[in-house]
Amino acid sequence: MPANSSAISLDFDHRSLEPNPLVFMQPNTLVEDIKSQSVGQTSTSIMPISTFPTTSMVIRSIYSLTEELLSEVIPLRVPRSSSVIPDAIRANWQALATSGLSERAYLYLLKLAKKEAGWREPGTRPLEGRSLGEFLKFWMNVRSDASEPGFSLLPNGNLQVEWYCDDRHFTELEFRSNGLVLFGFFDGSSEIEGLANLDELKPLIASRDYRYLKWSQ
């Protein structure tokens, strides 16, 4: 991937990604499961780690639990505060739950969303929830014809996604909060760059059989 010192880049092997609908288990469902398993336990008991839901599920559902219930059933090594759910993730919970993204892709987005203001230098911004939301709208329309991209957080708080094969074959899309996408398609023989909304962008990609969204290492 071309060097970009102004962004946090998170790359992974797209071939290893498999959708896992269980990781987007609704918070209330997990809460009820925990409550049902804790019935009859004393207030000082701790649920054995071997029977406790996976940490990734807990992180995504923990904000629905009360402090009283948390003190009874959550191992101390699991964060208790609702702050473990970043605002950008919370604002897009339903879209994430139905996106079909793999657990690994979700965890990369979660890691980006947890970056605080000033994460690189003064003035750099955390992930914008509306930027993530625009990506999810786009993804819902193209996911059947695309491989999962890599993700980067830009200093302005926008989410950038990339499909990368080599330095001459890659796609970069920056999703802006106002609904516009800054795009660049590089296929080795031509370069197409511009700014468009989602309705304008999809036909451009579809006319080339979605090949811009299928590159991977």
Side-chain angles (χ1 to χ4, degrees):
M1 182 177 68
N4 183 350
S5 61
S6 64
I8 294 178
S9 298
L10 299 169
D11 296 322
F12 47 85
D13 185 352
H14 301 296
R15 293 170 296 182
S16 68
L17 301 178
E18 294 293 338
N20 181 359
L22 293 180
V23 303
F24 293 112
M25 188 177 188
Q26 290 295 325
N28 290 340
T29 302
L30 180 58
V31 172
E32 292 304 319
D33 287 347
I34 292 174
K35 287 181 178 178
S36 65
Q37 293 181 51
S38 62
V39 172
Q41 297 181 1
T42 66
S43 60
T44 59
S45 63
I46 297 294
M47 184 186 299
I49 292 178
S50 61
T51 63
F52 196 75
T54 63
T55 300
S56 60
M57 288 185 188
V58 174
I59 288 175
R60 273 160 279 172
S61 304
I62 202 168
Y63 67 88
S64 296
L65 297 170
T66 64
E67 285 299 320
E68 179 180 359
L69 183 57
L70 283 169
S71 66
E72 294 179 1
V73 301
I74 303 295
L76 295 179
R77 64 192 184 91
V78 177
R80 300 186 179 192
S81 171
S82 62
S83 64
V84 298
I85 306 297
D87 291 342
I89 298 295
R90 189 193 307 272
N92 292 285
W93 182 268
Q94 291 300 324
L96 283 164
T98 58
S99 67
L101 288 169
S102 67
E103 179 177 11
R104 192 173 183 183
Y106 171 82
L107 291 176
Y108 272 99
L109 288 172
L110 178 63
K111 184 174 182 178
L112 290 182
K114 292 174 71 174
K115 296 291 181 182
E116 299 179 350
W119 53 266
R120 186 174 185 84
E121 58 187 22
T124 53
R125 302 175 62 180
L127 178 62
E128 290 279 354
R130 288 175 294 180
S131 175
L132 175 57
E134 290 301 312
F135 161 69
L136 292 171
K137 290 178 187 177
F138 173 80
W139 177 249
M140 293 290 284
N141 286 325
V142 304
R143 61 184 179 180
S144 61
D145 298 291
S147 59
E148 285 189 339
F151 303 98
S152 298
L153 174 60
L154 300 180
N156 60 9
N158 289 339
L159 179 68
Q160 178 175 288
V161 303
E162 181 181 70
W163 289 263
Y164 180 80
C165 178
D166 56 44
D167 288 347
R168 299 184 63 212
H169 301 81
F170 62 95
T171 294
E172 289 182 340
L173 305 178
E174 176 188 342
F175 291 88
R176 298 183 172 181
S177 299
N178 61 4
L180 296 178
V181 182
L182 183 63
F183 63 87
F185 304 123
F186 306 89
D187 64 5
S189 59
S190 63
E191 301 178 1
I192 305 174
E193 299 178 87
L195 190 66
N197 60 39
L198 295 182
D199 291 335
E200 296 166 337
L201 189 60
K202 185 178 179 181
L204 177 62
I205 297 173
S207 67
R208 290 159 176 80
D209 298 322
Y210 294 91
R211 71 173 182 268
Y212 295 136
L213 307 185
K214 296 177 181 178
W215 285 318
S216 61
Q217 288 184 310

